């Protein structure tokens, strides 16, 4: 999911539009049951993967990049992957997971590209993409079925989704059609007409709305607060769960209108299958509540929340979309298997892609305001490859500024042996798998609550991000905007915050001591 500011209640439900979209993330998770969201922008065809992994570098790379003048080694010495930190953990939190689900597509008379969206729903479950991205999370016993229902009426102008509690007293109550009542009736009508079978708890209902419709409730209006989400309610029988995805059309008028919707639909479908009751199935293993007994894994995962990580599609929402055989455009999805194998966790990976990144030695550092600490950084790659550049960015500052808060800096960076570029970003060139880098980090100001894109954390933190950037993979059409790039975050907290959450003065280590990065996770049932 891609998040803009929203309450902690709604972690992991939607693909949100907003400041977090300005930052490229390399991998992706969530907590608390609520809806999930998708990207709302039009898909740029020049950004579709065609053998090279490209990511929008946002504030990280600009014309002030460092030129190494060919001084860097061409490849690493052995090509062996350096021992590095633990990537975020996506775990089965005990909630439902769907097996071989039926996908039911609902379109309105005024839904753009309705026939294409019906075809998408009918075939996506039988594609290699579907099998690969859900391989780690559910056991398919047969090929998923795709059905469609064409509603013979235009959509209303406004719908309100209050999570099934009705319009009276709902947290997001407002004027408009009760979306939950409408969906329940639409499903019941289709069952009565024998167009679809009765709900069975193993079906995902995908509702595609026209650009003239706004869906409010939960976290705000569609195409402003989010580009799509999934959630659940109860059918008219009072017991059978209904798992649904809401897909507004946020790219009307764009030549990539259909592609933008299918990218969001693929995002929500993957999450509706792996985490149908949001943040109870497969999601980022983290607890924002210290009194609930935060575990070491949850502490290690915590910095990734600031990057919008949650459910399995959220962690890869900033990857360039993929074009499948036949031309359908979809999103890459987080894979536990790829992550534990030291490869790009966002699959399918384009042919010839090299995964390279750099992990700090800790997930959480403890420092007083004014203190300077040393962050030891280990670059690594999954194959021998050319050297790359490290950039250090004050993610808290950028996120706060983009969400209307103070633009004051929280962290100051200086690479040992590096430079501070013309844009103020501290950079280090010529790193490769197995080399060591050292980043001097100064805590400039008291961290504050509520800086993360997934809702307020329970403890104050300043978040830094280490970007691994391959300048040689910039595109000719948009130099500096489509650069191969991966990211690894960390956080800095004060001794007072550390005492609050039970973290010692040495922080939380994040270095792996063996090849397998974390214990095997439980498969969905």
């Amino acid at each position: 999911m891609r998040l803009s500011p929203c309450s902690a209640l709604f972690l992991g439900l939607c693909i949100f539009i907003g400041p977090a979209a300005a930052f490229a993330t390399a991998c992706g998770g969530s907590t608390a049951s609520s809806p999930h969201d998708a990207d709302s922008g039009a898909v740029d065809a020049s950004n579709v993967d065609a053998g090279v992994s490209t990511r929008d570098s946002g504030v990280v790379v600009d014309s002030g990049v460092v030129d190494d003048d060919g001084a860097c080694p061409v490849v690493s010495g052995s090509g062996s992957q350096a021992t590095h930190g633990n990537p975020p953990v996506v775990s089965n939190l005990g909630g439902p997971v769907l097996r071989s689900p039926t996908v039911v597509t609902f379109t309105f008379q005024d839904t753009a590209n309705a026939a294409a969206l019906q075809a998408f729903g009918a075939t996506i479950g039988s594609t290699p993409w579907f099998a690969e991205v859900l391989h780690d999370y559910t056991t398919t016993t047969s090929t998923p079925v795709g059905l469609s229902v064409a509603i013979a009426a235009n959509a209303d102008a406004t719908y309100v989704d209050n999570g099934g509690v009705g319009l009276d007293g709902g947290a997001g109550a407002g004027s408009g059609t009760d979306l939950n009542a409408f969906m329940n009736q639409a499903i019941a009508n289709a069952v009565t007409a024998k167009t679809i079978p009765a709900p069975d708890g193993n079906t995902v209902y995908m509702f595609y709305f026209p650009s003239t419709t706004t869906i409010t409730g939960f976290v705000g209006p569609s195409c402003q607060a989010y580009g799509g989400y999934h959630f659940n309610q109860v059918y008219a029988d009072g017991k059978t769960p209904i798992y649904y995805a809401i897909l507004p059309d946020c790219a009307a008028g764009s030549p990539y209108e259909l592609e933008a919707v299918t990218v969001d639909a693929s995002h929500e479908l993957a999450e509706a299958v792996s985490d149908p009751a949001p943040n109870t199935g497969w999601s980022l293993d983290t607890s924002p509540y210290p009194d609930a007994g935060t575990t070491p894994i949850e502490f290690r995962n915590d910095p990734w929340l600031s990057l919008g990580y949650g459910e399995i599609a959220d962690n890869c929402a900033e990857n360039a979309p993929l074009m499948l055989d036949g031309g359908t455009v979809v999103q890459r999805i987080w894979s536990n298997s790829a992550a534990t194998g030291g490869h790009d966790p966002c699959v399918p990976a384009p042919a010839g892609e090299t995964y390279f990144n750099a992990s700090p030695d800790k997930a959480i550092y403890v420092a007083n305001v004014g203190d300077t600490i040393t962050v030891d950084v280990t670059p690594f790659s999954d194959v021998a490859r050319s050297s790359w550049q490290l950039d250090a960015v004050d993610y808290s500052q950028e996120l706060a500024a983009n969400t209307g808060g103070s633009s004051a800096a929280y962290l100051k960076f200086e690479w040992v042996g590096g430079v501070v570029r013309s844009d103020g970003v501290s950079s280090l060139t010529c790193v490769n798998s197995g080399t060591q880098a050292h980043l001097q980090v100064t805590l400039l100001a008291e961290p504050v609550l509520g800086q993360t894109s997934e809702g307020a954390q329970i403890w104050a933190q300043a978040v830094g991000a280490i970007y691994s950037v391959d300048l040689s993979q910039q595109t000719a059409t948009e130099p500096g905007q489509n650069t191969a790039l991966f990211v690894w975050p960390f956080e800095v907290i004060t001794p007072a915050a550390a005492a609050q959450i039970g973290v010692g003065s040495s922080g939380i280590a994040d270095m792996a001591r063996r090849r397998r990065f974390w214990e095997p996770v439980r498969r969905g049932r």
Side-chain angles (χ1 to χ4, degrees), residues 405-417:
S406 170
S407 60
Y410 291 91
L411 299 172
K412 176 184 176 183
F413 303 105
E414 185 175 344
W415 291 101
V416 175

Side-chain angles (χ1 to χ4, degrees), residues 103-130:
V103 178
V104 177
T105 299
F106 279 84
T107 57
F108 295 86
Q109 194 165 275
D110 51 349
T111 298
N113 301 301
L117 295 173
Q118 291 164 2
F120 172 85
T123 59
I124 192 64
S126 60
T127 62
W129 172 86
F130 188 89

Side-chain angles (χ1 to χ4, degrees), residues 28-32 87-93 275 279 281-287 297-298 300-306 308-312 314-315 334 454:
S30 169
T31 303
V89 176
V90 176
S91 301
N92 187 324
L93 304 180
D275 189 27
N279 309 299
W282 286 95
S283 187
L284 191 67
D285 184 9
T286 184
S287 170
I297 286 178
E298 290 167 345
R300 288 202 307 267
N301 286 344
D302 193 73
W304 299 90
L305 285 175
S306 298
Y309 280 37
E311 296 171 298
I312 63 172
D314 299 331
N315 308 342
W334 174 272
E454 282 214 5

Side-chain angles (χ1 to χ4, degrees), residues 11 25 40 57 266 317 369 408 445:
L11 301 187
T25 57
S40 71
S57 59
S266 65
V369 175

Side-chain angles (χ1 to χ4, degrees), residues 165-244:
V165 301
L167 296 184
D168 294 330
S175 60
T177 302
D178 185 329
L179 180 62
N180 297 106
F182 167 78
M183 288 189 296
N184 213 311
Q185 188 62 57
I187 293 169
N189 291 345
V191 171
T192 300
K194 301 188 183 304
T195 305
I196 60 175
D200 58 1
N202 194 48
T203 298
V204 179
Y205 300 93
M206 312 278 286
F207 284 82
Y208 293 89
F209 291 86
S211 61
T212 51
T213 292
T214 299
I215 303 99
T216 64
F218 282 125
V219 296
S222 54
C223 301
Q224 295 181 43
Y226 63 86
Y229 65 88
H230 73 93
F231 199 40
N232 59 289
Q233 64 163 309
V234 178
Y235 188 46
D237 63 8
K239 60 182 180 179
T240 306
I242 292 175
Y243 303 117
Y244 65 89

Side-chain angles (χ1 to χ4, degrees), residues 89-469:
V89 176
V90 176
S91 301
N92 187 324
L93 304 180
V97 176
L98 305 187
R99 294 190 189 186
S100 305
T102 298
V103 178
V104 177
T105 299
F106 279 84
T107 57
F108 295 86
Q109 194 165 275
D110 51 349
T111 298
N113 301 301
L117 295 173
Q118 291 164 2
F120 172 85
T123 59
I124 192 64
S126 60
T127 62
W129 172 86
F130 188 89
E132 181 174 359
V133 302
L134 291 167
H135 174 267
D136 291 346
Y137 310 111
T138 185
T139 301
T140 55
T141 55
S142 61
T143 301
V145 175
L147 303 173
S148 62
V149 177
I151 299 174
N154 289 342
D156 292 346
T158 306
Y159 292 85
V160 181
D161 189 344
N162 285 311
V165 301
L167 296 184
D168 294 330
S175 60
T177 302
D178 185 329
L179 180 62
N180 297 106
F182 167 78
M183 288 189 296
N184 213 311
Q185 188 62 57
I187 293 169
N189 291 345
V191 171
T192 300
K194 301 188 183 304
T195 305
I196 60 175
D200 58 1
N202 194 48
T203 298
V204 179
Y205 300 93
M206 312 278 286
F207 284 82
Y208 293 89
F209 291 86
S211 61
T212 51
T213 292
T214 299
I215 303 99
T216 64
F218 282 125
V219 296
S222 54
C223 301
Q224 295 181 43
Y226 63 86
Y229 65 88
H230 73 93
F231 199 40
N232 59 289
Q233 64 163 309
V234 178
Y235 188 46
D237 63 8
K239 60 182 180 179
T240 306
I242 292 175
Y243 303 117
Y244 65 89
I246 300 301
L247 286 313
D249 182 352
C250 301
S254 163
Y256 309 110
E257 180 178 15
L258 173 61
E259 289 81 357
V261 176
T262 59
V263 167
D264 289 354
S266 65
H267 178 124
E268 298 306 330
L269 177 60
E271 293 184 342
V273 172
S274 61
D275 189 27
N279 309 299
T280 68
W282 286 95
S283 187
L284 191 67
D285 184 9
T286 184
S287 170
Y289 305 104
D291 58 3
T294 309
T295 67
I297 286 178
E298 290 167 345
F299 277 128
R300 288 202 307 267
N301 286 344
D302 193 73
W304 299 90
L305 285 175
S306 298
L307 271 61
Y309 280 37
E311 296 171 298
I312 63 172
D314 299 331
N315 308 342
C316 301
E318 294 298 339
N319 280 253
L322 282 171
M323 182 177 291
L324 305 180
D325 291 343
T328 300
V329 179
V330 296
Q331 188 194 295
R332 293 168 68 179
I333 306 295
W334 174 272
S335 164
N336 272 342
S337 296
T340 56
H343 306 298
D344 188 342
C346 298
V347 301
E353 179 190 74
T354 298
Y355 179 54
F356 59 100
N357 213 329
S359 69
D361 60 329
K362 296 179 182 179
I364 301 177
Y365 298 83
V366 180
N368 289 296
V369 175
D371 286 352
T372 297
I373 58 176
T374 298
V375 174
D376 296 323
V377 178
T378 300
F380 64 94
S381 62
D382 59 358
V383 297
R385 53 152 292 124
S386 58
S387 297
W388 64 91
Q389 174 177 305
L390 299 180
D391 292 338
V393 172
D394 184 350
Y395 196 88
S396 296
Q397 179 186 27
E398 299 295 339
L399 190 56
N402 286 329
T403 54
S406 170
S407 60
Y410 291 91
L411 299 172
K412 176 184 176 183
F413 303 105
E414 185 175 344
W415 291 101
V416 175
V419 300
V420 177
R421 300 197 318 241
S422 60
D423 60 353
V425 173
S426 183
S427 291
L428 178 68
T429 57
C430 296
V431 303
N432 215 307
S433 185
T435 62
Q436 291 295 311
H438 307 285
L439 180 64
Q440 300 293 313
V441 180
T442 303
L443 182 60
L444 300 176
E446 187 79 21
V448 297
L449 290 170
Q451 296 179 133
T452 70
S453 60
E454 282 214 5
Q457 292 289 352
I458 204 66
W459 61 83
Q461 60 185 244
V463 180
I466 299 170
Y467 287 84
S468 290
V469 186

